[in-house]
Amino acid sequence: MSPVDIFRMLSLAAIWGASFLFMRIIAPVIGTIPTAFFRVSIAAVGLLVILGLMRINWDFKGKLKTVMLLGVINSGIPATLYSVAAQVLPAGYSAIFNATTPLMGVLIGGLFFSERLTVAKLTGVFLGLFGVGVLTRAGPVAFDLELLMGALACLLATTCYGFAGFLTRRWLDHTGGLDSRLSAVGSMLGASLFLLPLFGYSVITAPPASWGGWNVWLSLLGLGLGCTAFAYIIYFRLLSSIGPVKSMTVTFMIPAFGVLWGALLLDEPLSMAHLYGGVLIALALWLVLKPAVVKPAEVAAR
């Protein structure tokens, strides 16, 4: 990779790692649903403005409803689940749990989409889940029901990401190359519409005791515009420059930045469990993402 692409990848990991910091600041103040709704709606507005300035061709090829449904699965529900986790988990914990996304993709692919499960991939899945267990059981946060519920919310969010990846391939790959930037803005619109009635209901029935101060609203802008809208633009540039496989390696770096921001800016405690759990999950990701070795006999058969 060129130095510019390396810089882009590090920047993207730092930005996505900061999203867990922002949610940790916002969610305990204004609540789960408002946090999730403002994240996706601010991102939708930001993407609409950015893509409008870029003068792209707004042709969804008849797939706008499909893209919006994918947005519910890939953005609306996970944003809500991570906001639940942010009520009880340190930012570093959520960032590390987020790294299990490829592991969930392996399980979902094997169980529901007839994907081949190799020994290396299955080993990676179990090793990654063991790393999650190490962090939750031996980390600096007290092991209790709240911790388990927060960890479960993160794992359910990564499960949604796994399903969304396969559904995107099934529903959109035959459309002749739908612009990924349109997929992004359509996803955010779908997530916003999904969360809008839930947001209205939550505000009417159980409004937050406080809507927070300037730090909460600056964090919301950072979460929606920086960590979502702007991050998508960087990610799409990486995809076109170095391809999807190399771009996926950003997954390895997000937990390090998530833990770093939480420790530096929120004084979150660190322990050796962060290192042990993070290394186990990183090793699991390597097993899952490494290219499969093709035997000569298999090449001849092709």
Side-chain angles (χ1 to χ4, degrees), residues 26 51 57 82 84 94-95 107 110 127 150 190 214 220 252 269 288:
I26 301 162
L51 298 190
N57 180 19
Y82 275 121
V84 170
S94 295
L107 282 178
L127 194 61
W214 63 267
L220 274 170
F252 290 89
V288 167

Side-chain angles (χ1 to χ4, degrees), residues 277-289:
V279 168
L280 286 170
I281 292 174
L283 180 57
L285 289 173
W286 177 77
L287 288 170
V288 167
L289 298 177

Side-chain angles (χ1 to χ4, degrees), residues 201-226:
Y201 179 78
S202 70
V203 169
I204 293 172
T205 59
S210 168
W211 287 100
W214 63 267
N215 60 322
V216 169
W217 288 95
L218 285 179
S219 297
L220 274 170
L221 290 176
L223 181 63
L225 295 179

